[in-house]
């Protein structure tokens, strides 16, 4: 996807998320990430984060427990288990967080088991959100 097309696609994703979610108490980052709360039909407040940086693919971060209802065919996922946090070290021997830094401000996601889902089309994001709403 070219840079211009990626920017348009991410703008469409953000418009959908703005319509269906409320802003997370940690707020949005200006350039890298948008943080949201999605309220399920059962009333559960579900935190999500959308990567909006121009140089990366559109990616949605979710708590692993909220991905069980997604089913097959909703995109490539990568797991980020809590036990793997801070296992790598920088050149000075200090532990590295190991996830997108914008997640650290989200207390409800910072240290949880997470899944990152690559979003490739707007209908995919709609289906993911719909599945999460039903949890």
């Amino acid at each position: 996807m070219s840079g211009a097309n990626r920017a348009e696609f991410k703008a469409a994703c953000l418009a959908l998320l703005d319509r269906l979610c409320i802003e997370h108490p940690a707020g949005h980052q200006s350039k890298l990430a948008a943080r949201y709360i999605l309220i399920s039909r059962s009333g559960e407040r579900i935190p999500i984060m959308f990567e909006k940086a121009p140089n990366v693919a559109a990616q949605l971060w979710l708590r692993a427990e909220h991905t069980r209802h997604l089913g097959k065919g909703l995109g490539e996922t990568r797991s980020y288990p809590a036990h793997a946090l801070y296992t790598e070290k920088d050149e000075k021997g200090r532990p590295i967080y190991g996830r997108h830094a914008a997640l650290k401000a989200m207390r409800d996601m910072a240290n949880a088991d997470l899944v990152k889902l690559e979003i490739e089309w707007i209908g995919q994001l709609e289906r993911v959100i719909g599945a999460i709403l039903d949890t």
Side-chain angles (χ1 to χ4, degrees):
M1 186 178 294
S2 73
N5 289 342
R6 182 181 290 144
E8 289 175 15
F9 174 64
K10 285 186 177 183
C13 289
L14 288 166
L16 177 67
L17 292 167
D18 286 344
R19 210 170 46 249
L20 299 175
C21 305
I22 58 174
E23 187 173 337
H24 190 277
H28 298 314
Q29 283 188 329
S30 60
K31 294 182 181 180
L32 300 179
R35 302 177 186 116
Y36 293 99
I37 298 287
L38 181 62
I39 307 205
S40 74
R41 289 183 177 84
S42 67
E44 182 180 1
R45 296 172 58 87
I46 301 168
I48 60 176
M49 187 188 84
F50 181 77
E51 286 190 55
K52 60 182 183 177
N55 59 337
V56 297
Q59 299 179 57
L60 189 68
W61 289 80
L62 308 160
R63 289 178 62 114
E65 66 207 51
H66 298 296
T67 62
R68 287 183 227 130
H69 304 288
L70 295 184
K72 304 278 186 222
L74 285 181
E76 292 297 316
T77 61
R78 181 171 174 197
S79 295
Y80 290 82
H83 69 80
L85 281 171
Y86 301 105
T87 56
E88 295 185 31
K89 299 195 183 314
D90 69 11
E91 64 281 348
K92 294 184 180 181
R94 296 177 296 213
I96 297 172
Y97 179 57
R99 296 178 176 170
H100 195 290
L103 291 162
K104 287 176 84 172
M106 300 175 75
R107 290 185 297 166
D108 42 11
M109 290 182 75
N111 298 307
D113 292 329
L114 299 181
V115 170
K116 180 173 67 173
L117 173 67
E118 187 167 332
I119 303 297
E120 298 175 348
W121 71 96
I122 197 72
Q124 174 193 16
L125 181 58
E126 290 170 339
R127 288 178 57 200
V128 167
I129 296 298
I132 295 169
L133 284 172
D134 288 336
T135 59

